[in-house]
Amino acid sequence: MKIRVERDGLADAVAWVARSLPARPPVPVLGGILLEADSEQDVLTVSGFDYETSATVNVPATLSASGRTLVSGRLLADITKALPNKPVELAVEGSRVEIVCGTAKFSLPTMPVEDYPQLPNMPDKVGELPGELLGTAVAQVAVAAGKDDTLPMLTGVRVEIAGDKLTLVATDRFRLAMREITWTPAQEAEDTAVLVPARTLAESAKTLGASGATAELALASGDGLVGLSGAGRRSTARLLDAEFPKYRQLLPDDQTTTAIIEVSKLVDAIKRVSLVAERGTQVRLEFSEDGLNLTAGGEEEGSAEEAIAVEFEGEPVTIAFNPTYLLDGLSAVRTDRAHMAFTTANRPALLKPVDEDGQVAGDYLYLLMPVRLPG
Amino acid sequence: MARVRLVIARCQVDYAGRVTAHLPMAMRLLLVKADGSVSVHSDDRAYKPLNWMSPPCWVTEEPGTWTVQNKTGEKLVIAIEEMLHDSEHEMGAEPGLVKDGVEAHLQELLAEHIGTLGTGYSLVRREYPTAIGPVDILARDEGGSTVAVEIKRRGEIDGVEQLTRYLELLNRDPLLAPVQGVFAAQQIKPQARTLAEDRGIRCLTLDYDALRGIEPDEFRLF
């Protein structure tokens, strides 16, 4: 293999693939990045696979000789990131790969490419949507996914496909986030629901969102594989084989108190008052005709209080939340104003975005369980 | 029967032996155990002594000075300025520390709720004997194949090695083979998880409170 490639394209591709490599590869080859130069197309294919997730990127390249080689992913990522902004020449010589860029020269040992597992084929496409929309929607939902692997079903994002409606849901038992979007389903796509590992999905969707390209979702439920592609990047992940909780019944259908708040003001106020709330404690919200009064802390650790104006309607209510979870929800609505709905201090609160015309948007919701009030 | 002696005194301690160490004059707790060992404690956490002499050793008491000496000639010299307390107590036989109470309880709970391993699992027995020690739990999966479970509080590399040894032995038994391994712990270290998965052993994180049926006090959506 002998190729010439632009430094930026190579560095981005390698960095993206390296991100999905395992931190502790049980077999050294799994910590490698596969470089393939195909003589038929002038591209360098950069891939990584650890049996769970795979990532592949094509980079335009000038080929002198085709071939494939496997090198340490971390090392290659560090090197390509540090290279000067000049064309990079990659050449395999015997069991080593030479990297020359400007005045910098590296020689890396390669790993046996025959030992590298076969990358999974991209499953069948089930639909597409703008990458930016996917990136936003996934970020809005994945924030509520659980991180504790005691309950694997909570570490995923449920993806429901029903015609041109795509629903994403995640919950960690304390909060639940749901986003509905309209997309373009593939002709022969069937309605289905799968559970995708939240972390992997969030990573892939974030990259696609930043690229501005169209994102394609692909599924092979039988093989338990999900694929996401766009902007020359393809990634696959193994689906979680677990039952997602029946969440629709959790969504409250009545409310006795509603308030429309300015997100940035409330976020700043929560951050301020929760300075006295030790880790894992609560911030209390008191809604009344006079507005919203925020309090945190107590006699021992110091206390804080702040009042903000809100558009309030209904019964006055005092309710307490974990400040981190509340902030997660407020930053996930992605609008200047948010609509909050409550019933009582021990029932979940519902947070929804409010668009510029003052309409409560129906396509996103963040359901948050309060914490017990003192006494 | 020998007794344990407790002394609280203002004292200064010098140790002369492989290393030399000095503790300036201060209030200390001196503990003389029935085996003759002497340890010097300060009022600082539940922690090991500041200095000590392990048995066999001998205490020579002179007014104002204790000298503790062992057979290699190392000496712990305690200069006592003021004695505030001196008592002796008979402690009786020590029933022994019940180690890893949680681990034993986890085993019991997991055996009771064998479905935690997966649907259709059935218990063969707890503490299934092998030539190198008992396997925590032996079970059968829904298809009837044997599953050996090793239970730990904290899942570390050692536990995976232990289970690997059991699996190797169990797999020699034609009536049991093939035996699948499950490494179950409240927390599993990333290294241990990697090793286990590489050896085809399934990792299972156990929620002790959930197994005990203790509902957390906090509000939850479900």
Side-chain angles (χ1 to χ4, degrees):
Chain A
M1 185 172 92
K2 193 169 161 64
I3 56 156
R4 181 193 248 286
V5 57
E6 285 306 316
R7 180 259 174 198
D8 284 358
L10 178 69
D12 284 354
V14 171
W16 188 68
V17 172
R19 217 171 339 178
S20 61
L21 293 178
R24 294 180 185 77
V27 187
V29 288
L30 296 184
I33 279 185
L34 186 66
L35 300 171
E36 290 170 291
D38 186 347
S39 56
E40 294 185 10
Q41 303 152 309
D42 268 348
V43 289
L44 169 70
T45 308
V46 183
S47 353
F49 181 45
D50 68 348
Y51 293 106
E52 288 291 323
T53 61
S54 81
T56 305
V57 196
N58 290 340
V59 191
T62 318
L63 262 71
S64 307
S66 60
R68 34 199 324 249
T69 188
L70 186 66
V71 288
S72 157
R74 304 258 160 241
L75 193 54
L76 187 65
D78 287 346
I79 290 173
T80 51
K81 200 170 92 184
L83 287 178
N85 198 5
K86 297 222 166 86
V88 184
E89 289 192 6
L90 284 168
V92 177
E93 276 164 29
S95 65
R96 300 188 79 80
V97 57
E98 309 288 329
I99 303 171
V100 181
C101 178
T103 48
K105 250 187 213 175
F106 291 89
S107 172
L108 306 181
T110 59
M111 290 187 272
V113 75
E114 318 80 70
D115 296 352
Y116 201 70
Q118 172 83 41
L119 265 81
N121 287 325
M122 199 67 179
D124 294 334
K125 177 180 159 182
V126 287
E128 61 177 44
L129 70 167
E132 208 175 320
L133 179 59
L134 179 74
T136 312
V138 169
Q140 281 181 302
V141 170
V143 68
K147 285 160 193 84
D148 178 4
D149 55 10
T150 318
L151 299 160
M153 77 272 198
L154 302 183
T155 61
V157 170
R158 180 177 164 93
V159 178
E160 289 176 16
I161 297 167
D164 66 351
K165 201 173 81 175
L166 189 68
T167 309
L168 307 175
V169 196
T171 177
D172 65 358
R173 294 201 282 189
F174 301 104
R175 60 255 176 89
L176 178 145
M178 178 169 107
R179 174 78 201 261
E180 286 174 347
I181 39 185
T182 314
W183 75 329
T184 317
Q187 296 245 305
E188 60 280 10
E190 285 175 17
D191 291 357
T192 182
V194 292
L195 198 56
V196 186
R199 228 182 53 202
T200 318
L201 180 65
E203 283 269 329
S204 306
K206 195 172 145 194
T207 326
L208 282 173
S211 73
T214 299
E216 289 185 6
L217 187 72
L219 273 182
S221 309
D223 299 337
L225 203 67
V226 61
L228 206 56
S229 59
R233 296 171 181 209
R234 299 187 297 281
S235 58
T236 63
R238 213 187 268 281
L239 293 171
L240 289 170
D241 183 20
E243 186 87 13
F244 195 73
K246 291 191 173 47
Y247 67 94
R248 296 223 179 239
Q249 65 202 38
L250 300 172
L251 306 176
D253 38 22
D254 57 337
Q255 56 200 39
T256 51
T257 306
T258 61
I260 291 180
I261 49 107
E262 263 188 60
V263 173
S264 61
K265 272 192 189 160
L266 182 56
V267 165
D268 289 346
I270 292 169
K271 283 182 180 164
R272 270 193 292 272
V273 299
S274 57
L275 289 174
V276 294
E278 279 176 30
R279 221 171 67 88
T281 54
Q282 53 181 244
V283 50
R284 293 174 289 277
L285 280 69
E286 200 180 329
F287 288 93
S288 69
E289 297 295 343
D290 305 330
L292 165 60
N293 199 38
L294 279 150
T295 54
E299 301 236 318
E300 280 172 22
E301 68 270 45
S303 62
E305 190 173 345
E306 186 158 350
I308 12 181
V310 293
E311 287 175 38
F312 168 84
E313 220 171 89
E315 301 286 317
V317 66
T318 302
I319 190 165
F321 295 105
N322 172 321
T324 313
Y325 292 171
L326 183 54
L327 288 171
D328 281 347
L330 287 167
S331 56
V333 293
R334 308 279 173 111
T335 48
D336 293 342
R337 293 192 299 161
H339 179 265
M340 298 178 93
F342 312 93
T343 46
T344 61
N346 53 13
R347 303 276 307 135
L350 198 54
L351 200 62
K352 285 180 177 178
V354 173
D355 64 21
E356 281 157 17
D357 308 327
Q359 295 297 311
V360 178
D363 61 352
Y364 179 72
L365 62 86
Y366 185 86
L367 188 68
L368 175 59
M369 203 63 200
V371 294
R372 212 177 284 275
L373 283 161
Chain B
M1 191 161 190
R3 294 167 158 225
V4 167
R5 184 174 173 195
L6 282 177
V7 173
I8 293 183
R10 177 180 297 282
C11 61
Q12 163 184 311
V13 184
D14 286 280
Y15 183 89
R18 285 161 298 176
V19 291
T20 51
H22 171 73
L23 291 169
M25 190 65 74
M27 290 291 287
R28 306 251 158 60
L29 163 68
L30 307 175
L31 200 56
V32 186
K33 289 196 179 167
D35 60 7
S37 68
V38 177
S39 47
V40 182
H41 291 264
S42 66
D43 180 14
D44 179 29
R45 293 163 286 172
Y47 200 56
K48 65 183 185 186
L50 294 167
N51 212 331
W52 69 95
M53 183 75 82
S54 311
C57 58
W58 304 270
V59 185
T60 322
E61 269 192 72
E62 283 160 25
T65 312
W66 288 11
T67 309
V68 192
Q69 189 169 357
N70 69 6
K71 60 177 185 228
T72 59
E74 291 173 308
K75 272 185 190 170
L76 191 67
V77 181
I78 307 172
I80 298 173
E81 191 182 78
E82 187 188 2
M83 189 89 91
L84 292 116
H85 176 96
D86 189 352
S87 62
E88 285 189 30
H89 307 269
E90 200 155 300
M91 308 280 279
E94 168 59 44
L97 176 68
V98 182
K99 239 181 168 176
D100 292 322
V102 176
E103 206 167 289
H105 198 202
L106 274 173
Q107 191 197 93
E108 211 171 290
L109 288 167
L110 189 58
E112 264 171 48
H113 306 279
I114 199 75
T116 313
L117 293 172
T119 37
Y121 275 66
S122 58
L123 179 71
V124 176
R125 67 165 287 181
R126 283 170 54 193
E127 303 281 345
Y128 183 89
T130 75
I132 54 168
V135 177
D136 286 338
I137 284 181
L138 203 73
R140 291 199 185 276
D141 69 9
E142 51 184 351
S145 351
T146 318
V147 178
V149 188
E150 177 63 33
I151 299 168
K152 290 282 175 218
R153 241 154 66 77
R154 296 159 57 83
E156 299 190 12
I157 292 264
D158 292 358
V160 181
E161 294 290 0
Q162 194 184 346
L163 179 55
T164 309
R165 290 195 296 270
Y166 289 142
L167 286 172
E168 198 199 322
L169 222 72
L170 290 170
N171 269 315
R172 291 183 200 162
D173 185 338
L175 295 176
L176 296 177
V179 184
Q180 263 288 320
V182 174
F183 189 53
Q186 278 182 285
Q187 292 174 320
I188 298 178
K189 296 265 176 183
Q191 297 98 316
R193 181 180 292 274
T194 307
L195 181 67
E197 282 168 0
D198 185 48
R199 292 183 176 173
I201 294 169
R202 180 155 69 95
C203 288
L204 179 72
T205 321
L206 297 174
D207 186 337
Y208 185 49
D209 287 344
L211 280 171
R212 278 201 293 178
I214 297 176
E215 280 297 319
D217 182 37
E218 58 208 350
F219 294 138
R220 286 199 315 222
L221 286 166
F222 53 92

